[in-house]
Amino acid sequence: MKSVYVCYPEAAKVAICEEEVSAPQEGEILCQAERSLISIGTETYCLRGQFDAGTTWAGWVRYPFRPGYSMCARVIGVGPGVTAYKEGDRVLASAPHAQYFKTVAERTTPVPDGITSEEATWGTLASTTQLAARRGSLELGETVGVVGLGMLGQLVTQYLKVDGARRIIVIDTVQGRLDMALAHGATHAFNGFALAALPAVQEMSGGRGLDAVWDVTGHPAALAQCIELLRRRGRVVLTGDTPNPSQQFLGPSTLGKSISILAVHGNSSAPHFSELTPWTRGEIIALFYDLVLQKRMRVDDLVTHRHSPMEAVEVYDRLVTDRTSSVGVIFDWSKL
């Protein structure tokens, strides 16, 4: 069958293309897209194509490049050997933005009843951010900060609330994103850059500073600023992966305050259960869906824009130019 998909033929260029998709083979499922979520930070970085040598970005992005990895789709074909799914089931897949696609069944996660297809698309980013929350080793009652309130920052904020943080201080330069975080569990907000927030953070934390801070900006200048917000022996969790780490530095007080620098990447979750890694990617996503069903997390109101995939050129042009008004941007594949 013919399938429409989104492609970057080269850096700074977006195209809508078409290909033939064949029947599923051993262990594969054939899927029809329902909704896919644009990871607006990652996908615009990939579109620009400006990365330091040796980074994950430089090793990953090759043009022509297919963006997207947060797809909710319906199974329309099952290959030999697949027993976990039947036609009609919904799955979350790390698949690019495409109308039809094949994937290995083991690399998908079932979407439970009660979760909408839009909510389901957040599972991939919810996996990354849950790993980030776990990486920070939050203790009950700690005062924490989240710097950068795009898609990942909004999810980290919600996880920190679920995990039992006493105070969650969110920092961003866009008031709408601060308001969104306050509506989802943040207790304090500061409009501005991280370093400018230092006096306010000291006041909000009773002069102690933050126990931990999550840098979710993806901006190389933010790390040093985040470190200044921490108490002695505090922790910073790098969750936004800058494509230009050569411009990243630690600042003056990292060693003097004995700061711990932790990092997390979306590919850090284990594919299979073991006594060392019980939280597999599937288990992490299943927990996220349970938290949504239990109304302890919300993502439906994080969606700010919905588009037909045929509008992809215009959508990415807007995101590259100015994405401050965007958080969740959805491709609705029923609108082809």
Side-chain angles (χ1 to χ4, degrees), residues 69-72 85 90-95 106-112 115 119-131 134 155 159 266 269-271 278-294 297 299:
Y69 50 78
S70 303
M71 167 71 73
C72 179
Y85 294 114
R90 288 184 303 153
V91 297
L92 173 71
S94 295
E106 288 184 350
R107 297 176 186 168
T108 65
T109 303
V111 176
I115 296 291
E119 290 171 332
T121 63
W122 290 83
T124 302
L125 297 183
S127 173
T128 301
T129 48
Q130 191 181 134
L131 287 168
R134 293 178 184 277
L155 291 170
Y159 276 125
S269 57
W279 286 102
T280 65
R281 184 176 186 277
E283 286 294 318
I284 284 172
I285 294 171
L287 172 59
F288 164 67
Y289 288 154
D290 279 346
L291 292 171
V292 173
L293 288 170
Q294 295 164 11
M297 292 185 70
V299 292

Side-chain angles (χ1 to χ4, degrees), residues 143-144 198 201-202 205-212 228-231:
T143 294
V144 298
L198 182 56
V201 166
Q202 289 295 313
S205 64
R208 180 181 178 183
L210 301 177
D211 296 298
E228 294 304 307
L229 305 179
L230 293 166
R231 63 166 172 82

